[in-house]
Amino acid sequence: MRYQEMSQRELQREYRKLSAAYREMEQQGLHLDLSRGKPSPEQLELSRKMLDEVNSGSVLDSVDGTDCRNYGGLDGIPEAKALLAGMVGCRPEQVIVGGNSSLTLMFDILSHAMIDGLLGGTPWCQVPDRKFLCPVPGYDRHFAMTEHFGFELVPVPMLPDGPDMNLVERLVREDASIKGIWCVPKYQNPTGVVFSHEVVKRFANLKPAAKDFRIFWDNAYCVHDLYPEDAEPLPDILSLCEQAGSPDLVYEFCSTSKAAFPGAGISGVAASAANLIELRRVWKFATIGPDKLNQLRQARFFRNTAGLKAHMARHADLLRPKFERVEAILKEDLARSGAGSWTEPKGGYFISFNTLPGCAARTVELCKKAGVKFTPAGATWPCGRDPEDRNIRLAPSYASLEEIEPAVRLFTICVRLAALESLASMQVGSADMEGERIA
Amino acid sequence: MRYQEMSQRELQREYRKLSAAYREMEQQGLHLDLSRGKPSPEQLELSRKMLDEVNSGSVLDSVDGTDCRNYGGLDGIPEAKALLAGMVGCRPEQVIVGGNSSLTLMFDILSHAMIDGLLGGTPWCQVPDRKFLCPVPGYDRHFAMTEHFGFELVPVPMLPDGPDMNLVERLVREDASIKGIWCVPKYQNPTGVVFSHEVVKRFANLKPAAKDFRIFWDNAYCVHDLYPEDAEPLPDILSLCEQAGSPDLVYEFCSTSKAAFPGAGISGVAASAANLIELRRVWKFATIGPDKLNQLRQARFFRNTAGLKAHMARHADLLRPKFERVEAILKEDLARSGAGSWTEPKGGYFISFNTLPGCAARTVELCKKAGVKFTPAGATWPCGRDPEDRNIRLAPSYASLEEIEPAVRLFTICVRLAALESLASMQVGSADMEGERIA
């Protein structure tokens, strides 16, 4: 029976039953972490052989004859540009290869926009009421970065096919202080939503009041399908922007972090010729080029887009059972209670879970007390404040299947306990239940 | 005989003789480059075995048990921190390890100072008349970086024991808009000067009007001795700043770029606790940590400071003959003419050459016409403008000994031709010589 339909007595009985289950789990001394989207040790093993691709016996020149050990090559070596272009479906000449982190590329572009402005525009640090659109729930590190740079963060609801485009179109048309929007277009963090073709097209056809408005298109999970055979490629945003007459509207990001090694992959930014020329003009002051030996290592290991996809299928084989197990437990434990709802993504690294309103923080707190760490409630919202206190991001990748079982069982217990506390206090005041409430 | 003492007739005869030599060299179709401080292919070979240090059979954990493949570790792994601390003579906890380029660390710190300000100070982008001190001759990339960030570049003469400290002390005491100074304290680029202990002490005891004044102490050549047995370590600037009561005055930089691979080394910044806390607070938004596998590779290959020094002695064995050859040719060809003067550095990557006033650009132009590229005249000065047009940076590292011979022979011919053109035009107007002048 759904909790919302239970009598006060039934709620209390349910709470007592679940409290006992909670105490029992607490006794187990769990020490588990489902908080961050880290690949598991088994996934890292998939790329171990990459470390042999560049050894003391290797040819250390790239295909264009560059000695990858020495200085130079701001753009990246041709085979690395081709690899990343193949990942996102653009042309190699549209890509600049970065270091081991696409996040750093985003940060560097924002720094540049703050200090210099984009393509002749006013430096953003001189726009005191600067704003950035943040689809919610979304990625905490995106939001934190623009918060750090002094942007007001404007939440935009995620719908099942992408951000609410009616709202996005209206906001950017009306307000020139809105300078950008964060997007994870495929398997969005944390909802797992894949932007529909229609939504991608509407992004490319945005007509922002700010000439220097930019879409930060973080295609972090472009090849991270859980069901590769059913996966559909996303339309190429760069081509669509060109066709719409706004080639400079977007910076697209990708990396091999979750294909190879999270700490030692290569990243890339794809953009229009004008945007890339500007980035080169600035970055030539900052570096004599990223690590080309690592580019060589990655390019030789994956070989080409087909090789990369075959490799990602092996990642999927490790990840899929974990996602399916989490979803099965959620369904088994929660479907009848109505205490929560969740997404069932076909790729990426996260499941987005909604508790009843006002129950997310309490749920995470209860889990933590019993030894299982989840992403802090609110993390998926700008400045860490979820106005409804509902959303929790589940990250099943790092834990083993054996660890997922107790962790998610505990989670569903806590979701229900928090729901019951909330419903009971709504119905009868907190007095009755308070005596039994878990501290 | 010194050119300055020659008669008009003697100058003409010398010019004719050297023109013939120049024409002859022009015929050889040289195609050589002594412009940039790149290690030679032979030097790169010294580190080839490093590529095997991290292979598919390796333990991939750092000494503290961190899996170097996965995310995390903003500070760097302990063994990398220890390696870099050993290089510059500070403590490991004073070091944050960066990516493959110390230049990027400098750029990132300047970006941060521009946008956020340092330790509570006004963001530098809000200081319209911001200035940076530039010891001259100096490193073009340093100067270009601060020029990019909108600083007025204030030249400070390099003396045989370091920058003119009387001037530096006065300038920073009087002008709060002076925010920093570039220093290469050991084997300065391009003079090869090693700052004296007295100069280092005076730096640590600076009393700048600007609370957020910083010394950018680029210790790029700290272990790059040409004569390791005679080399003396530089005093540790961080300790001296602490003792002087100004622990936050300095950022020190180093890297393994010219020890391992220029494009694939690791870099570090060493600074006070307060400065490092601030950098971490900002950089946590920019990255989930630099490439730890490469840190592991470097730390395991060099093992410790002694291992690093032994490796650098092998570099010295390759570099020393080149420097000595250049200096021998300069002496042989130019000592009597008085047409130039040069430094004889005991380490680093450069020789600083001074032509007669007004002759540097012409010298480089003549060399280029005959197929040998030198660093553009003026490059060692802020904004590329050497007010006396005298300084040329010679970079003997990349070329082979066989290539150095004709390249430097050509150089001395061009130095003399430019001197003769200058002297003749001063003495008699340009008419007489003009007919013979090389176009």
Side-chain angles (χ1 to χ4, degrees):
Chain A
M1 195 198 278
R2 289 170 59 81
Y3 287 177
Q4 289 87 341
E5 294 152 15
M6 281 187 182
S7 69
Q8 174 62 8
R9 180 173 298 262
E10 285 166 326
L11 287 174
Q12 275 182 312
R13 193 168 49 221
E14 179 76 0
Y15 191 81
R16 213 167 296 134
K17 197 186 80 190
L18 287 167
S19 295
Y22 179 83
R23 302 284 181 213
E24 204 169 293
M25 295 219 65
E26 225 179 359
Q27 299 306 315
Q28 293 181 23
L30 296 174
H31 189 70
L32 299 169
D33 189 339
L34 266 74
S35 72
R36 291 229 71 99
K38 286 169 75 165
S40 65
E42 294 72 33
Q43 286 179 267
L44 301 183
E45 288 304 316
L46 295 175
S47 304
R48 189 176 266 272
K49 287 282 176 201
M50 179 187 288
L51 298 172
D52 300 332
E53 291 288 347
V54 171
N55 63 48
S56 67
S58 304
V59 172
L60 300 172
D61 291 354
S62 66
V63 290
D64 65 355
T66 303
D67 186 334
C68 291
R69 295 171 294 183
N70 223 324
Y71 288 122
L74 196 56
D75 255 49
I77 60 175
E79 50 266 62
K81 289 173 68 130
L83 177 73
L84 297 178
M87 268 179 94
V88 299
C90 71
R91 301 188 302 276
E93 66 269 25
Q94 293 175 305
V95 175
I96 291 181
V97 184
N100 73 326
S101 163
S102 56
L103 210 62
T104 303
L105 291 172
M106 298 171 214
F107 187 92
D108 289 349
I109 289 173
L110 285 170
S111 288
H112 157 56
M114 288 290 290
I115 296 172
D116 314 310
L118 296 180
L119 296 180
T122 305
W124 290 359
C125 70
Q126 292 171 26
V127 181
D129 61 341
R130 57 190 176 270
K131 303 184 189 75
F132 222 88
L133 301 186
C134 299
V136 286
Y139 180 30
D140 53 352
R141 283 184 174 272
H142 283 166
F143 299 165
M145 196 185 286
T146 29
E147 190 187 355
H148 163 70
F149 283 117
F151 287 83
E152 182 190 325
L153 307 185
V154 180
V156 171
M158 278 296 295
L159 305 178
D161 62 345
D164 179 343
M165 291 310 292
N166 291 335
L167 183 58
V168 169
E169 285 164 352
R170 186 169 61 73
L171 288 171
V172 305
R173 194 174 53 232
E174 291 175 359
D175 188 348
S177 67
I178 296 177
K179 294 302 183 187
I181 183 169
W182 289 115
C183 287
V184 181
K186 199 169 166 188
Y187 308 129
Q188 196 252 7
N189 175 352
T191 61
V193 162
V194 179
F195 291 13
S196 71
H197 288 209
E198 176 63 20
V199 163
V200 177
K201 238 180 244 163
R202 287 174 75 176
F203 266 111
N205 283 277
L206 282 179
K207 303 292 173 218
K211 290 270 167 286
D212 53 356
F213 175 91
R214 290 291 183 277
I215 304 164
F216 281 63
W217 195 255
D218 184 0
N219 213 340
Y221 308 108
C222 49
V223 290
H224 302 63
D225 312 302
L226 290 173
Y227 304 89
E229 63 286 359
D230 304 334
E232 254 191 279
L234 210 64
D236 171 29
I237 184 82
L238 290 170
S239 308
L240 291 178
C241 285
E242 261 172 58
Q243 286 163 30
S246 313
D248 307 328
L249 189 62
V250 66
Y251 297 113
E252 178 167 23
F253 303 93
C254 67
S255 81
T256 63
S257 295
K258 291 192 177 79
F261 304 120
I266 57 172
S267 63
V269 53
S272 70
N275 280 332
L276 291 190
I277 287 167
E278 183 177 64
L279 291 180
R280 284 186 201 108
R281 198 180 52 73
V282 175
W283 289 349
K284 73 166 190 247
F285 296 111
T287 174
I288 316 186
D291 182 344
K292 296 182 295 299
L293 284 177
N294 201 32
Q295 293 177 34
L296 206 58
R297 206 173 274 126
Q298 310 270 329
R300 287 182 180 172
F301 181 68
F302 292 123
R303 286 176 24 241
N304 50 36
T305 309
L308 177 62
K309 289 202 170 152
H311 186 76
M312 293 314 293
R314 291 188 277 276
H315 277 282
D317 289 342
L318 293 169
L319 285 167
R320 200 171 42 244
K322 297 183 181 178
F323 275 77
E324 290 179 349
R325 191 76 204 107
V326 172
E327 287 159 13
I329 298 172
L330 293 176
K331 193 169 172 192
E332 194 177 311
D333 290 359
L334 296 176
R336 271 163 307 179
S337 72
S341 59
W342 57 92
T343 58
E344 298 191 337
K346 303 292 172 247
Y349 266 67
F350 303 104
I351 291 167
S352 177
F353 188 94
N354 278 332
T355 64
L356 296 190
C359 294
R362 177 65 175 156
T363 299
V364 172
E365 182 201 2
L366 285 168
C367 289
K368 193 179 172 191
K369 273 171 43 75
V372 182
K373 191 176 162 194
F374 287 90
T375 311
T380 56
W381 276 74
C383 310
R385 284 187 298 272
D386 175 356
E388 292 198 90
D389 185 25
R390 297 194 65 176
N391 192 252
I392 301 171
R393 187 182 77 170
L394 307 183
S397 59
Y398 192 79
S400 67
L401 260 180
E402 293 65 37
E403 293 169 332
I404 280 175
E405 181 73 29
V408 180
R409 290 288 178 203
L410 174 71
F411 178 76
T412 69
I413 291 170
C414 297
V415 165
R416 285 175 286 173
L417 285 169
L420 291 163
E421 289 174 1
S422 165
L423 289 168
S425 67
M426 278 193 294
Q427 289 183 0
V428 297
S430 57
D432 273 14
M433 199 99 114
E434 202 56 39
E436 324 213 13
R437 197 172 187 271
I438 296 163
Chain B
M1 194 196 284
R2 288 169 61 81
Y3 286 179
Q4 289 88 339
E5 294 151 15
M6 281 187 183
S7 70
Q8 174 63 9
R9 182 173 299 264
E10 285 167 325
L11 289 173
Q12 276 182 313
R13 194 168 47 223
E14 178 78 358
Y15 191 81
R16 213 167 296 130
K17 196 185 82 189
L18 286 167
S19 294
Y22 179 83
R23 302 285 182 211
E24 205 169 293
M25 295 220 65
E26 224 179 2
Q27 299 306 315
Q28 294 181 23
L30 296 173
H31 189 70
L32 299 169
D33 189 339
L34 266 75
S35 71
R36 290 230 71 99
K38 285 169 75 165
S40 66
E42 294 72 31
Q43 286 178 268
L44 302 183
E45 287 304 315
L46 295 175
S47 305
R48 190 177 265 271
K49 286 283 177 200
M50 178 187 289
L51 298 172
D52 300 332
E53 291 288 347
V54 171
N55 63 47
S56 66
S58 304
V59 172
L60 300 171
D61 291 354
S62 67
V63 290
D64 65 355
T66 303
D67 187 332
C68 291
R69 296 171 294 184
N70 223 325
Y71 288 122
L74 195 55
D75 255 48
I77 60 174
E79 49 267 62
K81 289 174 69 132
L83 178 73
L84 297 178
M87 269 180 93
V88 299
C90 70
R91 301 189 300 278
E93 65 269 26
Q94 293 175 306
V95 175
I96 292 181
V97 184
N100 74 325
S101 163
S102 56
L103 210 62
T104 303
L105 290 172
M106 299 171 213
F107 187 93
D108 289 349
I109 289 174
L110 285 170
S111 288
H112 157 54
M114 287 290 290
I115 295 172
D116 313 312
L118 296 180
L119 295 180
T122 305
W124 290 358
C125 70
Q126 291 171 27
V127 181
D129 61 340
R130 57 190 176 270
K131 302 185 189 73
F132 222 87
L133 301 186
C134 299
V136 285
Y139 181 29
D140 52 352
R141 283 183 174 271
H142 283 166
F143 300 166
M145 198 185 285
T146 29
E147 189 188 357
H148 164 70
F149 282 117
F151 286 83
E152 182 190 328
L153 306 186
V154 180
V156 172
M158 277 297 295
L159 304 179
D161 62 345
D164 179 343
M165 291 311 292
N166 291 336
L167 183 59
V168 170
E169 285 165 352
R170 185 170 61 74
L171 288 171
V172 306
R173 195 174 52 234
E174 290 176 359
D175 187 349
S177 67
I178 296 178
K179 294 303 182 187
I181 183 169
W182 289 115
C183 288
V184 180
K186 198 169 167 188
Y187 308 129
Q188 195 250 8
N189 175 352
T191 61
V193 161
V194 180
F195 291 14
S196 71
H197 288 210
E198 176 62 20
V199 163
V200 177
K201 240 182 242 162
R202 287 175 75 176
F203 266 112
N205 284 277
L206 282 180
K207 303 293 174 218
K211 290 270 166 287
D212 54 356
F213 175 91
R214 290 292 183 278
I215 304 165
F216 280 63
W217 195 256
D218 185 0
N219 213 341
Y221 307 109
C222 48
V223 290
H224 302 63
D225 312 302
L226 289 173
Y227 303 90
E229 64 286 359
D230 304 333
E232 253 192 280
L234 208 65
D236 171 28
I237 183 82
L238 289 171
S239 308
L240 292 178
C241 284
E242 261 173 57
Q243 286 162 31
S246 312
D248 307 328
L249 189 62
V250 66
Y251 297 112
E252 179 168 23
F253 303 93
C254 67
S255 81
T256 63
S257 294
K258 290 192 177 77
F261 304 120
I266 58 172
S267 63
V269 55
S272 71
N275 280 333
L276 291 190
I277 287 167
E278 183 178 64
L279 291 180
R280 284 186 201 108
R281 198 180 52 73
V282 175
W283 289 349
K284 74 167 191 243
F285 296 111
T287 173
I288 315 186
D291 182 344
K292 295 183 296 299
L293 284 177
N294 201 32
Q295 292 177 37
L296 207 57
R297 205 173 275 126
Q298 310 271 329
R300 287 182 180 172
F301 181 68
F302 293 123
R303 282 172 32 236
N304 51 35
T305 309
L308 177 62
K309 289 201 172 152
H311 186 76
M312 293 314 294
R314 290 188 277 276
H315 277 282
D317 289 341
L318 292 170
L319 285 168
R320 199 171 42 246
K322 297 184 181 180
F323 276 77
E324 290 178 349
R325 192 75 204 108
V326 172
E327 286 159 15
I329 298 173
L330 294 177
K331 194 170 172 189
E332 194 178 311
D333 291 358
L334 296 177
R336 271 162 307 179
S337 71
S341 59
W342 57 93
T343 59
E344 297 190 338
K346 302 290 171 249
Y349 266 67
F350 303 104
I351 292 168
S352 178
F353 188 94
N354 278 332
T355 64
L356 296 191
C359 294
R362 176 64 174 157
T363 300
V364 172
E365 182 201 2
L366 284 168
C367 289
K368 195 179 170 191
K369 273 171 43 74
V372 182
K373 192 178 162 192
F374 286 90
T375 311
T380 57
W381 276 74
C383 310
R385 283 187 298 272
D386 175 356
E388 291 200 90
D389 185 25
R390 297 193 65 172
N391 192 250
I392 301 171
R393 186 182 78 169
L394 307 184
S397 59
Y398 192 78
S400 67
L401 262 179
E402 293 66 37
E403 293 169 332
I404 279 175
E405 181 74 29
V408 180
R409 291 287 178 202
L410 174 70
F411 178 75
T412 68
I413 291 170
C414 297
V415 165
R416 286 175 286 171
L417 285 171
L420 292 163
E421 288 174 3
S422 165
L423 289 167
S425 66
M426 277 192 295
Q427 289 182 359
V428 297
S430 57
D432 271 15
M433 198 97 117
E434 201 54 40
E436 323 213 13
R437 195 173 187 271
I438 294 162

PDB file of all heavy atoms in Angstrom, chain A residues 138-153:
ATOM      1  N   GLY A 138      21.512  18.441 -11.936  1.00  0.00           N
ATOM      2  CA  GLY A 138      22.662  18.461 -12.841  1.00  0.00           C
ATOM      3  C   GLY A 138      23.949  18.146 -12.109  1.00  0.00           C
ATOM      4  O   GLY A 138      23.930  17.640 -10.984  1.00  0.00           O
ATOM      5  N   TYR A 139      25.061  18.490 -12.758  1.00  0.00           N
ATOM      6  CA  TYR A 139      26.389  18.063 -12.288  1.00  0.00           C
ATOM      7  C   TYR A 139      26.965  19.102 -11.323  1.00  0.00           C
ATOM      8  O   TYR A 139      27.162  20.252 -11.682  1.00  0.00           O
ATOM      9  CB  TYR A 139      27.286  17.881 -13.501  1.00  0.00           C
ATOM     10  CG  TYR A 139      28.698  17.435 -13.242  1.00  0.00           C
ATOM     11  CD1 TYR A 139      29.022  16.629 -12.147  1.00  0.00           C
ATOM     12  CD2 TYR A 139      29.724  17.787 -14.105  1.00  0.00           C
ATOM     13  CE1 TYR A 139      30.321  16.217 -11.935  1.00  0.00           C
ATOM     14  CE2 TYR A 139      31.031  17.365 -13.899  1.00  0.00           C
ATOM     15  CZ  TYR A 139      31.324  16.587 -12.808  1.00  0.00           C
ATOM     16  OH  TYR A 139      32.611  16.174 -12.596  1.00  0.00           O
ATOM     17  N   ASP A 140      27.253  18.666 -10.122  1.00  0.00           N
ATOM     18  CA  ASP A 140      27.707  19.605  -9.084  1.00  0.00           C
ATOM     19  C   ASP A 140      28.972  20.361  -9.457  1.00  0.00           C
ATOM     20  O   ASP A 140      29.107  21.542  -9.167  1.00  0.00           O
ATOM     21  CB  ASP A 140      27.875  18.895  -7.723  1.00  0.00           C
ATOM     22  CG  ASP A 140      28.746  17.650  -7.780  1.00  0.00           C
ATOM     23  OD1 ASP A 140      29.121  17.229  -8.892  1.00  0.00           O
ATOM     24  OD2 ASP A 140      29.061  17.090  -6.712  1.00  0.00           O
ATOM     25  N   ARG A 141      29.906  19.697 -10.151  1.00  0.00           N
ATOM     26  CA  ARG A 141      31.160  20.383 -10.481  1.00  0.00           C
ATOM     27  C   ARG A 141      30.948  21.476 -11.530  1.00  0.00           C
ATOM     28  O   ARG A 141      31.644  22.492 -11.538  1.00  0.00           O
ATOM     29  CB  ARG A 141      32.211  19.387 -10.958  1.00  0.00           C
ATOM     30  CG  ARG A 141      32.824  18.621  -9.801  1.00  0.00           C
ATOM     31  CD  ARG A 141      33.928  17.693 -10.268  1.00  0.00           C
ATOM     32  NE  ARG A 141      34.587  17.075  -9.140  1.00  0.00           N
ATOM     33  CZ  ARG A 141      35.626  17.602  -8.496  1.00  0.00           C
ATOM     34  NH1 ARG A 141      36.132  18.756  -8.873  1.00  0.00           N
ATOM     35  NH2 ARG A 141      36.159  16.975  -7.479  1.00  0.00           N
ATOM     36  N   HIS A 142      30.021  21.265 -12.449  1.00  0.00           N
ATOM     37  CA  HIS A 142      29.666  22.353 -13.373  1.00  0.00           C
ATOM     38  C   HIS A 142      29.181  23.562 -12.584  1.00  0.00           C
ATOM     39  O   HIS A 142      29.665  24.680 -12.759  1.00  0.00           O
ATOM     40  CB  HIS A 142      28.548  21.908 -14.320  1.00  0.00           C
ATOM     41  CG  HIS A 142      28.998  21.007 -15.434  1.00  0.00           C
ATOM     42  ND1 HIS A 142      28.106  20.300 -16.200  1.00  0.00           N
ATOM     43  CD2 HIS A 142      30.232  20.711 -15.925  1.00  0.00           C
ATOM     44  CE1 HIS A 142      28.781  19.595 -17.119  1.00  0.00           C
ATOM     45  NE2 HIS A 142      30.051  19.835 -16.964  1.00  0.00           N
ATOM     46  N   PHE A 143      28.190  23.306 -11.757  1.00  0.00           N
ATOM     47  CA  PHE A 143      27.561  24.415 -11.030  1.00  0.00           C
ATOM     48  C   PHE A 143      28.586  25.137 -10.156  1.00  0.00           C
ATOM     49  O   PHE A 143      28.642  26.369 -10.109  1.00  0.00           O
ATOM     50  CB  PHE A 143      26.411  23.888 -10.157  1.00  0.00           C
ATOM     51  CG  PHE A 143      25.309  23.214 -10.930  1.00  0.00           C
ATOM     52  CD1 PHE A 143      24.362  22.432 -10.282  1.00  0.00           C
ATOM     53  CD2 PHE A 143      25.198  23.356 -12.317  1.00  0.00           C
ATOM     54  CE1 PHE A 143      23.336  21.805 -10.984  1.00  0.00           C
ATOM     55  CE2 PHE A 143      24.177  22.724 -13.030  1.00  0.00           C
ATOM     56  CZ  PHE A 143      23.247  21.937 -12.355  1.00  0.00           C
ATOM     57  N   ALA A 144      29.420  24.345  -9.461  1.00  0.00           N
ATOM     58  CA  ALA A 144      30.404  24.936  -8.544  1.00  0.00           C
ATOM     59  C   ALA A 144      31.375  25.843  -9.300  1.00  0.00           C
ATOM     60  O   ALA A 144      31.792  26.884  -8.802  1.00  0.00           O
ATOM     61  CB  ALA A 144      31.163  23.830  -7.816  1.00  0.00           C
ATOM     62  N   MET A 145      31.720  25.433 -10.515  1.00  0.00           N
ATOM     63  CA  MET A 145      32.677  26.214 -11.294  1.00  0.00           C
ATOM     64  C   MET A 145      32.110  27.592 -11.625  1.00  0.00           C
ATOM     65  O   MET A 145      32.765  28.619 -11.430  1.00  0.00           O
ATOM     66  CB  MET A 145      33.019  25.447 -12.577  1.00  0.00           C
ATOM     67  CG  MET A 145      34.265  25.941 -13.264  1.00  0.00           C
ATOM     68  SD  MET A 145      34.540  25.092 -14.834  1.00  0.00           S
ATOM     69  CE  MET A 145      35.095  23.480 -14.289  1.00  0.00           C
ATOM     70  N   THR A 146      30.882  27.636 -12.117  1.00  0.00           N
ATOM     71  CA  THR A 146      30.295  28.942 -12.451  1.00  0.00           C
ATOM     72  C   THR A 146      29.961  29.730 -11.182  1.00  0.00           C
ATOM     73  O   THR A 146      30.012  30.961 -11.194  1.00  0.00           O
ATOM     74  CB  THR A 146      29.052  28.790 -13.361  1.00  0.00           C
ATOM     75  OG1 THR A 146      28.410  27.545 -13.100  1.00  0.00           O
ATOM     76  CG2 THR A 146      29.454  28.839 -14.819  1.00  0.00           C
ATOM     77  N   GLU A 147      29.650  29.042 -10.107  1.00  0.00           N
ATOM     78  CA  GLU A 147      29.469  29.756  -8.834  1.00  0.00           C
ATOM     79  C   GLU A 147      30.793  30.425  -8.432  1.00  0.00           C
ATOM     80  O   GLU A 147      30.822  31.601  -8.050  1.00  0.00           O
ATOM     81  CB  GLU A 147      29.012  28.767  -7.742  1.00  0.00           C
ATOM     82  CG  GLU A 147      28.578  29.458  -6.457  1.00  0.00           C
ATOM     83  CD  GLU A 147      28.295  28.462  -5.321  1.00  0.00           C
ATOM     84  OE1 GLU A 147      28.343  27.238  -5.567  1.00  0.00           O
ATOM     85  OE2 GLU A 147      28.044  28.932  -4.201  1.00  0.00           O
ATOM     86  N   HIS A 148      31.894  29.656  -8.557  1.00  0.00           N
ATOM     87  CA  HIS A 148      33.221  30.203  -8.245  1.00  0.00           C
ATOM     88  C   HIS A 148      33.511  31.474  -9.050  1.00  0.00           C
ATOM     89  O   HIS A 148      34.088  32.428  -8.541  1.00  0.00           O
ATOM     90  CB  HIS A 148      34.284  29.137  -8.514  1.00  0.00           C
ATOM     91  CG  HIS A 148      35.682  29.667  -8.617  1.00  0.00           C
ATOM     92  ND1 HIS A 148      36.375  30.161  -7.536  1.00  0.00           N
ATOM     93  CD2 HIS A 148      36.503  29.840  -9.694  1.00  0.00           C
ATOM     94  CE1 HIS A 148      37.571  30.574  -7.932  1.00  0.00           C
ATOM     95  NE2 HIS A 148      37.674  30.396  -9.231  1.00  0.00           N
ATOM     96  N   PHE A 149      33.103  31.483 -10.312  1.00  0.00           N
ATOM     97  CA  PHE A 149      33.374  32.644 -11.164  1.00  0.00           C
ATOM     98  C   PHE A 149      32.334  33.762 -10.984  1.00  0.00           C
ATOM     99  O   PHE A 149      32.290  34.705 -11.775  1.00  0.00           O
ATOM    100  CB  PHE A 149      33.465  32.223 -12.635  1.00  0.00           C
ATOM    101  CG  PHE A 149      34.772  31.560 -12.998  1.00  0.00           C
ATOM    102  CD1 PHE A 149      34.812  30.249 -13.438  1.00  0.00           C
ATOM    103  CD2 PHE A 149      35.967  32.256 -12.888  1.00  0.00           C
ATOM    104  CE1 PHE A 149      36.024  29.637 -13.776  1.00  0.00           C
ATOM    105  CE2 PHE A 149      37.182  31.657 -13.226  1.00  0.00           C
ATOM    106  CZ  PHE A 149      37.202  30.348 -13.668  1.00  0.00           C
ATOM    107  N   GLY A 150      31.506  33.614  -9.972  1.00  0.00           N
ATOM    108  CA  GLY A 150      30.616  34.722  -9.611  1.00  0.00           C
ATOM    109  C   GLY A 150      29.338  34.828 -10.435  1.00  0.00           C
ATOM    110  O   GLY A 150      28.721  35.896 -10.480  1.00  0.00           O
ATOM    111  N   PHE A 151      28.932  33.755 -11.074  1.00  0.00           N
ATOM    112  CA  PHE A 151      27.680  33.773 -11.813  1.00  0.00           C
ATOM    113  C   PHE A 151      26.497  33.531 -10.886  1.00  0.00           C
ATOM    114  O   PHE A 151      26.595  32.742  -9.938  1.00  0.00           O
ATOM    115  CB  PHE A 151      27.651  32.676 -12.887  1.00  0.00           C
ATOM    116  CG  PHE A 151      28.540  32.960 -14.064  1.00  0.00           C
ATOM    117  CD1 PHE A 151      29.891  32.669 -14.003  1.00  0.00           C
ATOM    118  CD2 PHE A 151      28.027  33.536 -15.216  1.00  0.00           C
ATOM    119  CE1 PHE A 151      30.727  32.947 -15.078  1.00  0.00           C
ATOM    120  CE2 PHE A 151      28.858  33.810 -16.298  1.00  0.00           C
ATOM    121  CZ  PHE A 151      30.216  33.512 -16.223  1.00  0.00           C
ATOM    122  N   GLU A 152      25.395  34.179 -11.169  1.00  0.00           N
ATOM    123  CA  GLU A 152      24.141  33.748 -10.571  1.00  0.00           C
ATOM    124  C   GLU A 152      23.695  32.513 -11.343  1.00  0.00           C
ATOM    125  O   GLU A 152      23.665  32.514 -12.578  1.00  0.00           O
ATOM    126  CB  GLU A 152      23.094  34.859 -10.694  1.00  0.00           C
ATOM    127  CG  GLU A 152      21.766  34.506 -10.061  1.00  0.00           C
ATOM    128  CD  GLU A 152      20.671  35.521 -10.402  1.00  0.00           C
ATOM    129  OE1 GLU A 152      20.989  36.717 -10.511  1.00  0.00           O
ATOM    130  OE2 GLU A 152      19.518  35.096 -10.574  1.00  0.00           O
ATOM    131  N   LEU A 153      23.366  31.455 -10.622  1.00  0.00           N
ATOM    132  CA  LEU A 153      23.002  30.202 -11.276  1.00  0.00           C
ATOM    133  C   LEU A 153      21.484  30.119 -11.379  1.00  0.00           C
ATOM    134  O   LEU A 153      20.782  30.181 -10.365  1.00  0.00           O
ATOM    135  CB  LEU A 153      23.558  29.017 -10.479  1.00  0.00           C
ATOM    136  CG  LEU A 153      25.073  29.072 -10.181  1.00  0.00           C
ATOM    137  CD1 LEU A 153      25.530  27.782  -9.496  1.00  0.00           C
ATOM    138  CD2 LEU A 153      25.880  29.316 -11.449  1.00  0.00           C
TER     139      LEU A 153
END
